[in-house]
Amino acid sequence: MTGTVGGIMSKLGQVVEAIEKYNKFVLDQVKRARSDEQFGRELLGRWNDTKAKIPITRTPTGVPLPRLALPEIDEPGEIARYLFGEGLPGEFPFLNGAYREMYLEPIREVESFEKNGETVAARMAPVKSSNARPPLPQAEEPTRLFSGLMLAEDTNERFHYLTQHQRTHRLSTAFDGPTLYGIDSDADGVFGKIGEGGVAIDTVEDMMRLYDGFDLGSPNFSASMTISGPAPIIMAMYIAAAKRRFGPKVVPKLRGTVQADIFKEVQAQNETIFPIEASLRFLTDMVEFTTREMRRWYPISISGYHIGEAGSTPVQQAAYTLSNGFAYAEMFAARGIPVDQFGPRLSFFLDCGLDAEYIALARVSRRIWAIGMRDVFGAGPRAQLFKLHTQTSGRSLIAAEFKNNLTRTAAELVLAYMNATNSCHSNSADEPFTTPSEEWIRLAAHGQAILLEESGIFKHTMNMLSGSPGMKAVERAVEAAILDEFREIARLGGVLAAVEDRYQRSQIQSAAHRYEQQIYNGTRPIIGLNRYRDDEDDAPEVKLVRTPRQKQQLQVDRLAKFKKKNAEKAKRALDRLADVVERGANCFTVLLEAAEVCSLGQITGRLQEVVGRFRPMV
Amino acid sequence: MPSPIRILTAVPICDGHDSAINTINLEFIRHGIEVVYLGYHRSVTDIVRAAIQEDVRAVGISSYNGGHIEFFSEVTGLLQKRGASDIKVFGGGGGTITQQDAAAMKRKGVDNIFFAGTSLAEMTDYVRTQYGKPRNKRPRPRSPEQELAHKLSEIEDAYASVSRKRPTASAQRSRSNKTVRHSSVAIRHSSRAERARVMGFTGPGGAGKTTLIDELVLRFLNQNSRGRIAILSHDPSVVGEGALLGDRATMINSQNDRVFMRSMATRGQAGGLSPATQDCLALLARSGFDYVIIETVGTGQEAMPFQKNGVVDQTVLVMNPDYGSRLQLQKIVMLDLADIVVVNKSDLQRARTAHTEIEQRLEQNGRDQRLIDTVAKRHRDAGVDQLFKLISTGR
């Protein structure tokens, strides 16, 4: 039974209290460590023990480095502050990382272990290494490249190109405008938009073409679909396509994520097709299904990226993303889904730009999420993790002297890795003009490889760049500012009430306006635009990726054929769908049936008849 | 003095990038331009229909999601097809529209494309110089709708030409009562049978008038498969004489071929309407619509926008439950005059108190006034159904 979603989403105040309480707890532990001798000794013992277990490996140039760098402290109070306030990587409250080793290359040979500043001989047997090829890390590559262009078969080709040298196939899919708005390629006035800015998907058959040649049930495959308004429908099409290709047994094996973040659409990105409450209900229906039937799927990607791109400040981005996340958690829990089932299936997506806050934005977010989930929602360790995908800032890239964008993206990547993001997308320098072309995509991808694989910044030592006084100062300021935002949203009655009140939207728009003003008046330097401008710089010569008319026509023709073939079945499926939605039951199973025979636009249209359309907020 | 320049701005279908256009709209109105803002994710048909009904000088389109060559060409093509090629098209899309694209778009009849880095001042200057000149002789209207739109412009222009300087509100009201008169004088006396039923909606800003009207329109369209409805919507002119006419942006059901909508700026007149309103309304009332809905700007306590014995048949006051203390109700003049009082947003905590207090206030009047609670933002709201029934059947 689906309850209404109104009247809930008011736990944000409790989250604020939980963070304050936890911060006080940390201070208490610091004091206790200094006054309670036994407690102090215990902490010191634990600290020394931890340090003793840190393996040391040699860099290719022969320098021995610990796999984990810790602050040079030996006073129990400071040790308490570190262990409770930050946590070791992979330990609560996860300031330094969700996992212990993140991007470290696998241990080939342990040199020694660190102990009290001295080193002792290695006790661990060296791992055999082959001369031919260095062993690859067991974890997946953090690189996840966003792609989507023209028709399904074109994007499919791009996917194969992008993953040709990768062990793991992590595909990230961009959809074209009509798909994002849940309408068909034959709708009024969308012809020119077919396949622009992303791939055109109208039917389950398109979905089959899109991932053709990839083994959807393989543990090395995962699909990410960046779509929110019609997310449950697209998700249903993905499942339907997988079943057609691999049979029904593939469903529990499917790995990947669909964005499905309605709040940020209303707050920032404007791709909302149903009224908010109806959208949230369809989302919860889907989450209920996937947490039960698809244990390896991430049914929502709580996204600050678009909030950031719409012009928010970094603090607003983190605050709205986290509060949206807590609101979803509250909603799913209210539906009766156990927090330890849905919690580990939530993931986050943040923007990383060049402002100072980005030095620690994701670190602070990870900590707030963990404390809130543990102390307010009673989540176990796996449901406390803020699993993060980061994308470098598209807004920071500009058309003038566009090759400078390579440097911008590189700096943002360093910041993203300093925040120990779990995966990352680096933007192509040609993005201000066009869907990225292969040449610039390759450079963007290699930017990540250069930082992670070629440079020694991230592969030898965890915490290589963490914990500087400046970073600590940013952490304190950012956390305080995020909590202030939480308090305001709580005062307005929670996330949903604040959204309906346009609170986040207005804040974002005003920040965006300020940003533009700063560029105009020069207080925000943009090299090549308002500083060191080269007036000779002509329009850049980039190869534009545009969808040819014949392809757009092909898509329309294929859709017509599909609709004709399934006309009878579609009608029945839509009637059943409307009936279930009307009754208020979970509609995802009937949506799965409808996705077999109906187009995206047919389903959207029918649902809108029942629940209404989204009324834009201006 | 000529009328302010009227333009329409919009973001194309499947495109939600509205941050640039929001900034540009504000800059335009600050420079004396009246901007009818249609919002984002708008189809070619919606844009062209709105441009013709509003009879704007130009359409500005802000496109960031690709497909701009087709989209802009379809707009110019459809305008031409509908006999409205005197409505010009311009636009921009940051870095997404290249020089080559712009050249192709110009060949398809687009006036101008602004590239990334164009200053707001440049855009404003362009609009003012290009679209500020008096109109040439207008092409003969191709449809009754277009003819109606042209006539409404003539009425507005006639009023603009007599207001050489901004008079006080009362002086203006008295003048508007005796000066500019069109054929509409005769209309008042036309038989009621041919006349549309005219509904006047007023109330404080933010009470949800626009949403409520849009929901009523949806019900009307569903119930009368051939019925036609007109909406005359008002927004205030700001200092500097521009205006943001933004009601269309949230009216998702009223973008329909059976709905004729016209947005008017108050052009310096206080009280919630424009100097030209009465004449425009009279013209609409005899133009073959079943209903004409007139929406005032957000009004204050003393407002009584609809003339006694005027063309408005029934008045609706839309209130927000948050009107302040009970004493405030005594000061709201429209509570004495309105035929129907609606407490919208009746899902708010205060709604019940509001209902009781307003009910008591209406009882003092001893008239047969109706009080209805609605939540207009809710799909298929029962209160809106009740209001629709009351309006359409009188029960």
Side-chain angles (χ1 to χ4, degrees), chain A residues 315-507:
Chain A
V315 163
Q316 287 169 347
Q317 187 201 161
Y320 302 156
T321 309
L322 285 163
S323 54
N324 292 348
F326 286 124
Y328 289 127
E330 198 176 338
M331 208 168 71
F332 301 151
R335 180 66 76 88
I337 314 171
V339 65
D340 284 329
Q341 271 180 35
F342 73 74
R345 299 286 102 198
L346 303 179
S347 71
F348 290 84
F349 175 26
L350 290 180
D351 197 352
C352 187
L354 291 168
D355 286 306
E357 294 93 315
Y358 287 111
I359 288 169
L361 199 72
R363 293 166 56 84
V364 174
S365 302
R366 201 157 43 225
R367 184 176 186 272
I368 291 176
W369 182 252
I371 298 169
M373 285 302 277
R374 189 190 76 170
D375 295 349
V376 178
F377 290 88
R382 285 179 61 242
Q384 295 163 8
L385 292 186
F386 182 88
K387 294 177 188 166
L388 177 65
H389 175 68
T390 303
Q391 182 169 339
T392 58
S393 166
R395 186 171 65 139
S396 71
L397 307 186
I398 59 161
E401 295 178 55
F402 82 104
K403 288 177 188 168
N404 283 332
N405 293 337
L406 287 171
T407 309
R408 295 187 176 100
T409 300
E412 289 161 356
L413 278 177
V414 172
L415 292 176
Y417 294 137
M418 280 169 73
N419 280 272
T421 185
N422 299 80
S423 63
C424 201
H425 170 102
S426 39
N427 288 330
S428 301
D430 59 349
E431 282 200 2
F433 329 100
T434 175
T435 300
S437 56
E438 282 175 7
E439 177 192 0
W440 294 99
I441 285 186
R442 198 174 154 79
L443 291 177
H446 285 179
Q448 296 200 45
I450 289 168
L451 282 171
L452 290 181
E453 298 171 33
E454 192 173 317
S455 94
I457 310 175
F458 299 104
K459 67 178 172 182
H460 304 307
T461 298
M462 274 300 287
N463 280 357
M464 186 70 116
L465 296 171
S466 307
S468 72
M471 182 184 270
K472 297 277 107 193
V474 172
E475 282 168 6
R476 281 190 296 272
V478 163
E479 184 185 281
I482 291 175
L483 292 186
D484 273 346
E485 281 286 347
F486 280 9
R487 285 186 197 98
E488 180 59 20
I489 295 169
R491 198 183 67 77
L492 293 169
V495 170
L496 182 58
V499 163
E500 292 191 329
D501 220 22
R502 293 186 311 275
Y503 170 70
Q504 295 93 334
R505 202 174 158 82
S506 302
Q507 295 298 313

Side-chain angles (χ1 to χ4, degrees), chain B residues 124-347:
Chain B
T124 313
D125 284 349
Y126 179 86
V127 169
R128 278 158 61 107
T129 51
Q130 291 299 307
Y131 309 128
K133 294 173 226 150
R135 287 187 201 264
N136 298 328
K137 194 171 173 327
R138 310 210 60 185
R140 268 173 66 90
R142 195 79 63 84
S143 62
E145 175 166 282
Q146 198 176 14
E147 187 179 356
L148 179 60
H150 286 191
K151 278 189 184 161
L152 291 169
S153 299
E154 283 164 23
I155 296 174
E156 272 204 297
D157 289 349
Y159 275 94
S161 64
V162 298
S163 67
R164 295 240 164 256
K165 60 177 195 222
R166 179 172 298 199
T168 63
S170 62
Q172 195 176 43
R173 202 174 292 133
S174 67
R175 196 201 51 239
S176 70
N177 283 342
K178 63 184 179 218
T179 53
V180 186
R181 277 289 168 261
H182 301 266
S183 48
S184 58
V185 177
I187 295 157
R188 294 253 168 85
H189 305 290
S190 69
S191 83
R192 274 194 90 80
E194 313 166 10
R195 236 181 108 248
R197 187 167 172 77
V198 180
M199 305 289 311
F201 282 73
T202 188
K209 294 184 290 297
T210 309
T211 304
L212 188 63
I213 292 170
D214 193 48
E215 285 295 312
L216 291 170
V217 167
L218 175 68
R219 284 160 178 76
F220 172 82
L221 294 175
N222 287 342
Q223 198 177 78
N224 308 280
S225 58
R226 294 158 72 138
R228 294 179 67 233
I229 198 163
I231 303 168
L232 191 59
S233 159
H234 292 77
D235 276 309
S237 300
V238 296
V239 180
E241 297 183 343
L244 182 62
L245 308 171
D247 287 343
R248 277 181 181 268
T250 57
M251 299 185 85
I252 47 181
N253 303 308
S254 303
Q255 315 298 324
N256 186 296
D257 284 337
R258 292 192 281 133
V259 181
F260 182 96
M261 179 163 173
R262 183 75 170 214
S263 311
M264 292 178 79
T266 52
R267 298 195 176 171
Q269 176 168 295
L273 298 173
S274 143
T277 300
Q278 292 307 324
D279 291 355
C280 290
L281 192 58
L283 174 61
L284 286 171
R286 53 142 188 172
S287 297
F289 297 103
D290 298 278
Y291 284 91
V292 175
I293 290 177
I294 168 170
E295 179 188 356
T296 70
V297 304
T299 51
Q301 293 173 333
E302 81 291 4
M304 29 194 287
F306 306 118
Q307 292 177 0
K308 250 192 182 152
N309 308 319
V311 76
V312 177
D313 296 300
Q314 201 170 26
T315 55
V316 182
L317 171 65
V318 185
M319 308 242 329
N320 186 323
D322 283 325
Y323 47 74
S325 79
R326 185 184 185 126
L327 197 64
Q328 299 297 332
L329 290 179
Q330 295 302 330
K331 311 177 195 172
I332 299 173
V333 179
M334 271 308 291
L335 277 173
D336 294 324
L337 304 175
D339 300 307
I340 301 170
V341 177
V342 172
V343 182
N344 191 32
K345 307 190 181 180
S346 66
D347 56 335

Side-chain angles (χ1 to χ4, degrees), chain A residues 161-184:
Chain A
Y161 170 83
L162 287 173
T163 53
Q164 58 190 340
H165 301 303
Q166 294 199 317
R167 282 166 304 109
T168 55
H169 294 163
R170 308 180 78 190
L171 310 181
S172 181
T173 319
F175 296 93
D176 70 357
T179 310
L180 291 173
Y181 280 92
I183 55 185
D184 282 342

Side-chain angles (χ1 to χ4, degrees), chain A residues 139-388:
Chain A
E140 294 174 295
E141 294 112 327
T143 310
R144 198 192 255 285
L145 290 168
F146 191 37
S147 183
L149 73 169
M150 301 195 220
L151 306 191
E153 54 270 36
D154 304 299
T155 302
N156 180 267
E157 197 180 305
R158 173 71 60 92
F159 281 152
H160 283 288
Y161 170 83
L162 287 173
T163 53
Q164 58 190 340
H165 301 303
Q166 294 199 317
R167 282 166 304 109
T168 55
H169 294 163
R170 308 180 78 190
L171 310 181
S172 181
T173 319
F175 296 93
D176 70 357
T179 310
L180 291 173
Y181 280 92
I183 55 185
D184 282 342
S185 296
D186 61 1
D188 172 33
V190 306
F191 189 83
K193 305 255 175 199
I194 299 171
E196 283 292 320
V199 60
I201 299 294
D202 291 309
T203 67
V204 60
E205 292 174 2
D206 295 329
M207 198 58 104
M208 291 173 72
R209 283 187 273 269
L210 180 60
Y211 300 111
D212 189 42
F214 291 102
D215 182 1
L216 304 189
S218 151
N220 286 328
F221 179 88
S222 78
S224 163
M225 293 179 278
T226 304
I227 190 162
S228 287
I233 312 173
I234 287 292
M235 181 71 207
M237 281 186 183
Y238 182 77
I239 297 172
K243 275 169 38 183
R244 283 194 186 185
R245 288 183 53 208
F246 301 98
K249 287 201 175 137
V250 78
V251 176
K253 293 190 208 151
L254 295 176
R255 293 174 74 241
T257 182
V258 60
Q259 193 168 67
D261 184 356
I262 290 303
F263 282 134
K264 71 96 174 138
E265 290 298 340
V266 182
Q267 290 160 359
Q269 210 182 0
N270 295 337
E271 286 161 9
T272 318
I273 58 180
F274 306 113
I276 304 172
E277 292 203 6
S279 300
L280 293 174
R281 175 231 165 144
F282 296 148
L283 165 68
T284 312
D285 287 356
M286 175 177 77
V287 171
E288 203 174 14
F289 178 89
T290 61
T291 40
R292 197 178 58 229
E293 310 283 339
M294 298 167 64
R295 295 293 180 87
R296 308 168 75 185
W297 191 264
Y298 289 91
I300 182 168
S301 165
I302 304 156
S303 303
Y305 189 79
H306 319 83
I307 294 174
E309 291 293 293
S312 80
T313 67
V315 163
Q316 287 169 347
Q317 187 201 161
Y320 302 156
T321 309
L322 285 163
S323 54
N324 292 348
F326 286 124
Y328 289 127
E330 198 176 338
M331 208 168 71
F332 301 151
R335 180 66 76 88
I337 314 171
V339 65
D340 284 329
Q341 271 180 35
F342 73 74
R345 299 286 102 198
L346 303 179
S347 71
F348 290 84
F349 175 26
L350 290 180
D351 197 352
C352 187
L354 291 168
D355 286 306
E357 294 93 315
Y358 287 111
I359 288 169
L361 199 72
R363 293 166 56 84
V364 174
S365 302
R366 201 157 43 225
R367 184 176 186 272
I368 291 176
W369 182 252
I371 298 169
M373 285 302 277
R374 189 190 76 170
D375 295 349
V376 178
F377 290 88
R382 285 179 61 242
Q384 295 163 8
L385 292 186
F386 182 88
K387 294 177 188 166
L388 177 65

